[in-house]
Amino acid sequence: MKFILALAAALMAASAPAWAAPTHARPATAAKPKAFAPHVALPKDVAPTRFDIRITPDAANLQFSGHETVALTVRSPTDRIQLNAADIAFKKVTLFDLPSPAAAGSVASQPMHARTPRTSLDKEQQTATFIFDHPLAPGRYTLALDYTGVIYEQASGLFALDYTGEAGKKQRALFTQFENSDARRFIPSWDEPGVKAVYALSVVAPAAQMAVSNMPEIDSKPLAGGLSVTRFADTPKMSSYLLFFALGDFERIHKQVGKTDVGVIVRKGKAAQAQFALDAAAEILPFYNDYFGTPYPLPKLDFIAGPGQSQFFAAMENWGAIYYFDYALLIDPKLSTEADRQNVYVDIAHEMAHQWFGDLVTMAWWDDLWLNEGFASWMENKTTDHFHPEWKIWLQTKAGEQGAMRTDARNGSHPVITPIHDVFAAANAFDSITYEKGHSVIHMLEDYVGPDVFRAGVRNYIARHAYANTVTDDLWTEIDKVSPKKITAIAHDFTLQAGVPLITIDRGADGVRLSQSRFGVDAVSKTPRSWRAPVTVGGLGQPWRTVVSATSSAIKAAPAAATPLVNAGQIGYFRSRYSPQLETRIVAAFPTLAAEDQLGLVYDSRALGEAGYAPLTDFLVVARQAQDAQEPVVLQALINQLDAVDDNYKGLPAQAAFRAFARARLAPAFARLGWDAKPGESDNTALVRRTLLSTLGKFDDPAVIVEAQRRFSGLLANPDSLRGAARLTVLRIVASHADAATWDQLHTLAQKSTESTDRSRLYSYLGASHDPALAEKALELSLTKEPPPTDAPNLISGVSGVFPDKAYDFAIAHRAQVDAMVEPTSRTNFFAGLASGSLSPDIVSKLNAFAETVPASARPSITRTIATITYRQDIIKNRLPEVDRWLAAHPG
């Protein structure tokens, strides 16, 4: 699944003394993993092997009926069968003693003996228990179920998405979304990743519509009333959350890639927008077949596009039928940006990687979710860099890694491999630790053992565990078998404990010395720990590669005038801190550093400064060096870091002085890049131009605002006058500075837009105005039927970016209505995210009160939000005054 990061970027918390000495407390090192406490799961005495499912959707009335027969094995005597079911009404339940296949591969149609159990439903635990008068003996049985279910209007279970079709016709399409645990809303099932079975799906639906599932259609027969029944081939043995179904007025473009029929399925009229995705998938598939050493095993691989959006995910890796929202798959030449093209390619690479890591080999339980998501995130970058090195994707991913480090350095973080008590807690694991820290750790480990050795271990892992379930140590075992350098101990340190190492370099009589402590921003995150961290130091001749822990420092002879560079290449997952003398040297050398190491200085100087490990003014010094950076990714990082510091000045008198400093740093780039694309410029240059202009608009640059308003007037007069990134940049700047008349003009554009992605963006812009009256208007609009159900939450999110307290209070006051807009597993995260930008003194007490209303398993996101707010308050109190003094003493 391609996860969407939190609405508000998480900041680090609390402070530490500047240039503090490494702690002398004995740090903990990650121990060999032990079994976590038992999680809540279904009994193991009954196991399914096959599901035969027949679904009849009633899209107009948002309901469906189902008939299901389950071939199962009773392993030990029991008087009950328990499975998962949510919002399911059972009409008939029958158990047959022995299957008697009527056709090859099908479940019994003429069983020997029938039993009718009593049904008990547990709505809270989402289970159905079928209780029999007498115990069932071990053996094979067939369970037959007739039931009805709900079609939702948000992306959970079987859901409907409405859109404007060809010739302005209002239409509805159906799709499914089951991760992490919503297959139970579609089929009564053993809805756990460690339970694999074969699925055979049939669908009764209008004959004029296209039905799609994981496997190819093998039969379609007409029925009365313009209906038909479509039957799909059996799936391989797989987990329930990977099952997929879609129905609508679709068309498919495709090409044969080796033995695989690769296709993109879109609503009619969108085929041209699917070509980029099809070409990307056809390019990537042979690369993956070779890398993993196991060819993609299904006969077809479809990519399905749907309108709208989710607050939780962009795409889902259903085996053989990957679902995407339009914006993550389709490219519209008029509306899409260079960023859209890159994101689509990366999203395709991510979900295709899951066809091996996640689908073919699946984690045994949600504890090891990162085996799916961390590896898919790493593979998306490796693959994108292979085919598009000009995008410099490894540089771009450092921004996401910083988000993970900020989360990981404060209260509320968790290990990469983390105990998940029940499926309801699993939603908390879809976060930057699992995705961004996960892929960063993998990148570091691959670099440590070498890419060829790492690949050999991955190939062996896939081959050994195909169609089965694993835990993380199964992977480390396979890599250690082929690697001269063993990684299990290092991997345990980085995956079994939360936190960020801090590698400090200073100069002594014997040369340069590396030591390790823990980077943290509050009391919880400063508890001593140790990591065996691979470290590369440049600037001393040949790269110095060593492993440093809290109990084992490293020393290397070096000339007195040397300028050592810690984490050369920036592949290590840690913060780097220099002694004051070495800091001065490395900052002076900034223009000569490689782009990745320039990024390291930009990111670390702000992080260390805000947390109190160094003066925050060190970041301002680095910013002056970085303002002339020619690499677009470095310039983009500088812009984003200045923007983040500016957020802490919100409402403070000194914000004007900081913004003057920030605009001065961005002036050289603006003079070079301007408003309009230059012939032959790189995609990344276009990306940074959009960020630059948007940020200057946020910083109230008068010339930028006036020009954006001029171009907006031109857009209203001639809709073709602006396209792609230029159009979105203007819309964003104008929206944030909108008056009532401009807001109404933007509203009209949103109402008239027939493109799903464009409409979603336009509605979100309505929440961006700095006018509190217009913010109220946007919030009220979110509760009407005007915005599509999946777009309405983004209006509230947009307001939270400017008025977080207003958005949060509104959402709480209308909680039932807002809950209905958001997928059940995303609700707590959504509400907490609205408040994350707040500086209000009473917001923490409000969040604590909110926490009391949600299950304990859903509260970690609230803890993280409170840590973010507390840390920002600490920065404002303890760090900004020194910045103010520095700015006064260093004008310009």
Side-chain angles (χ1 to χ4, degrees), residues 825-845:
T825 55
S826 307
R827 288 169 182 163
T828 302
N829 290 345
F830 179 77
F831 279 90
L834 296 177
S836 62
S838 173
L839 297 175
S840 171
D842 62 349
I843 191 62
V844 171
S845 61

Side-chain angles (χ1 to χ4, degrees), residues 133-466:
D133 293 333
H134 303 286
L136 304 174
R140 295 184 301 157
Y141 296 82
T142 298
L143 180 66
L145 306 170
D146 291 311
Y147 62 95
T148 59
V150 176
I151 299 176
Y152 302 91
E153 291 185 275
Q154 86 286 92
S156 177
L158 178 60
F159 64 97
L161 293 175
D162 295 339
Y163 63 97
T164 302
E166 294 179 302
K169 181 182 177 182
K170 298 295 183 181
Q171 294 185 261
R172 173 169 289 174
L174 303 181
F175 307 91
T176 58
Q177 168 58 28
F178 296 153
E179 192 177 30
N180 53 296
S181 302
D182 283 329
R184 63 192 65 187
R185 300 179 185 276
F186 184 64
I187 55 169
S189 56
W190 281 253
D191 197 13
E192 299 173 358
V195 180
K196 291 196 170 188
V198 172
Y199 295 85
L201 179 65
S202 297
V203 179
V204 176
Q209 294 187 329
M210 179 188 295
V212 183
S213 190
N214 307 75
M215 299 295 286
E217 174 187 321
I218 57 173
D219 185 52
S220 183
K221 295 179 180 178
L223 300 175
L227 300 176
S228 66
V229 56
T230 300
R231 186 162 60 96
F232 297 95
D234 292 359
T235 71
K237 189 170 70 167
M238 68 182 194
S239 303
S240 57
Y241 76 89
L242 298 172
L243 185 64
F244 179 76
F245 163 65
L247 178 70
D249 192 17
F250 300 146
E251 60 181 316
R252 181 176 188 262
I253 63 172
H254 67 110
K255 62 172 63 176
Q256 193 71 24
V257 181
K259 296 181 179 180
T260 307
D261 179 18
V262 178
V264 182
I265 296 172
V266 296
R267 303 179 303 287
K268 286 185 177 178
K270 302 289 184 184
Q273 297 180 22
Q275 191 63 49
F276 179 82
L278 180 60
D279 292 342
E283 181 176 63
I284 292 170
L285 184 57
F287 179 78
Y288 280 177
N289 283 338
D290 175 68
Y291 185 88
F292 291 115
T294 298
Y296 175 76
L298 275 61
K300 64 99 172 172
L301 176 58
D302 279 332
F303 301 77
I304 301 98
Q309 60 190 310
S310 162
Q311 302 303 305
F312 180 49
F313 74 103
M316 174 62 205
E317 67 267 19
N318 316 293
W319 209 358
I322 306 173
Y323 175 77
Y324 295 79
F325 287 104
D326 282 358
Y327 70 86
L329 189 67
L330 304 183
I331 296 297
D332 184 325
K334 291 184 178 181
L335 301 173
S336 298
T337 68
E338 292 80 5
D340 291 330
R341 288 171 57 86
Q342 291 189 14
N343 289 337
V344 166
Y345 197 96
V346 168
D347 289 350
I348 289 171
H350 181 99
E351 303 305 335
M352 287 182 69
H354 273 311
Q355 306 301 293
W356 287 264
F357 262 98
D359 298 2
L360 181 61
V361 182
T362 313
M363 75 265 163
W365 182 248
W366 301 106
D367 300 340
D368 284 293
L369 174 65
W370 93 294
L371 270 176
N372 288 16
E373 301 300 348
F375 274 81
S377 299
W378 166 71
M379 200 67 193
E380 78 185 29
N381 297 324
K382 189 178 187 69
T383 306
T384 302
D385 185 62
H386 176 80
F387 288 107
H388 289 283
E390 74 279 8
W391 291 348
K392 301 186 179 179
I393 198 68
W394 286 118
L395 290 181
Q396 294 195 52
T397 61
K398 292 302 173 184
E401 182 180 305
Q402 294 302 306
M405 283 190 172
R406 288 192 289 274
T407 297
D408 210 15
R410 67 173 190 246
N411 186 25
S413 187
H414 62 84
V416 170
I417 304 170
T418 191
I420 300 296
H421 176 65
D422 56 32
V423 297
F424 310 108
N428 291 309
F430 289 86
D431 65 2
S432 62
I433 299 298
T434 296
Y435 284 73
E436 305 294 345
K437 181 177 180 178
H439 88 69
S440 298
V441 169
I442 295 164
H443 194 197
M444 179 178 68
L445 294 173
E446 183 204 30
D447 180 71
Y448 180 68
V449 301
D452 292 339
V453 170
F454 195 86
R455 180 177 64 178
V458 168
R459 285 178 169 179
N460 292 344
Y461 167 83
I462 294 291
R464 182 178 296 276
H465 299 287

Side-chain angles (χ1 to χ4, degrees), residues 715-750:
L715 176 68
L716 295 177
N718 177 13
D720 290 329
S721 63
L722 290 174
R723 294 191 173 201
R727 179 174 178 272
L728 292 185
T729 301
V730 166
L731 289 172
R732 179 67 189 180
I733 295 171
V734 167
S736 64
H737 295 84
D739 57 15
T742 303
W743 194 93
D744 287 341
Q745 290 169 328
L746 289 166
H747 188 192
T748 299
L749 289 177

Side-chain angles (χ1 to χ4, degrees), residues 367-368 370-371 417 461 470-477 495:
D367 300 340
D368 284 293
W370 93 294
L371 270 176
I417 304 170
Y461 167 83
T470 61
V471 296
T472 298
D473 267 11
D474 293 323
L475 177 62
W476 305 149
T477 296
T495 60

